[in-house]
Amino acid sequence: MSIRVVGPNEGEQTGGGPIRCRIIEDGSHTQHRLGLYEAVVPPGPGGPPQHVHHQHDETFIVTEGTLRFTSGADSVDAGAGSCVTVPAGTPHTFANPFGEPARFVGTLTPDLYVEYFRDLSRLPVDDRGQLNPADIGRAMAKYATEVIR
C-alpha cells in the first residue's frame, strides 16, 4: 500500500524543555514537501523566542486548549479548532499562559524544520526544566530561522 498510517500512539517522540513533540511525518514519505508534528504545550513559560522562518511556512491547528500566538507586538488567542498560518518571513511565537495544557498539530512546508525538534531534545535544560534561549536560537539558525530580538 502506498499510503502511510501513523496511529495516535505512534511517531517519533522528541522535543526539549517543557514542550513535547511527536513527529508524525518527517518528510521521508512526501519527497520532503511536508513535515507534520504534534506538540503538547503545558501552561506557563516555555514557548520559543519570537522568530522568522526564511525557507518554510508553518501552520498550527489547535486541537486542545488555547494558545497565544504573537507576531511582532500583536497577539491573538487561538482555541481548539483554530488554524493559524505563518508564511515564511513572518515573525511569530506561541505560548500557553492559560491553566490547561494545549495541543496542536503543526505542518512544515517544506519539511526543513523537522530536524530542529530532534535537536531540541539534545539541548540541556535548567533547574526549572527550561531551555536556554541562546541554545534555541543556535538550533533555529541551522534551519534558516532567526530569532527576533
Side-chain angles (χ1 to χ4, degrees):
M1 182 180 286
S2 296
I3 65 170
R4 179 171 182 260
V5 176
V6 177
N9 296 313
E10 298 174 337
E12 178 185 344
Q13 299 296 322
T14 190
I19 298 174
R20 305 314 309 154
C21 294
R22 177 173 70 106
I23 297 172
I24 300 167
E25 172 54 55
D26 67 0
S28 62
H29 299 91
T30 64
Q31 297 180 344
H32 301 285
R33 292 183 305 264
L34 170 72
L36 188 67
Y37 68 102
E38 178 182 55
V40 177
V41 183
Q50 193 158 178
H51 57 281
V52 171
H53 303 297
H54 293 290
Q55 294 181 0
H56 71 275
D57 303 312
E58 191 168 27
T59 301
F60 302 83
I61 302 165
V62 181
T63 58
E64 292 178 23
T66 302
L67 289 170
R68 178 163 294 152
F69 289 86
T70 301
S71 180
D74 299 323
S75 293
V76 62
D77 295 341
S82 299
C83 180
V84 177
T85 300
V86 181
T90 303
H92 66 286
T93 188
F94 61 86
N96 181 0
F98 307 102
E100 300 294 325
R103 181 181 305 263
F104 68 88
V105 173
T107 68
L108 307 164
T109 54
D111 71 337
L112 173 68
Y113 213 55
V114 169
E115 194 63 31
Y116 163 77
F117 297 111
R118 293 175 175 138
D119 287 352
L120 287 182
S121 70
R122 295 185 282 271
L123 294 177
V125 295
D126 65 17
D127 58 349
R128 296 171 295 133
Q130 301 292 320
L131 295 170
N132 180 313
D135 290 341
I136 295 170
R138 282 189 289 277
M140 287 178 168
K142 292 168 48 179
Y143 306 101
T145 298
E146 84 181 279
V147 172
I148 303 301
R149 304 249 180 237

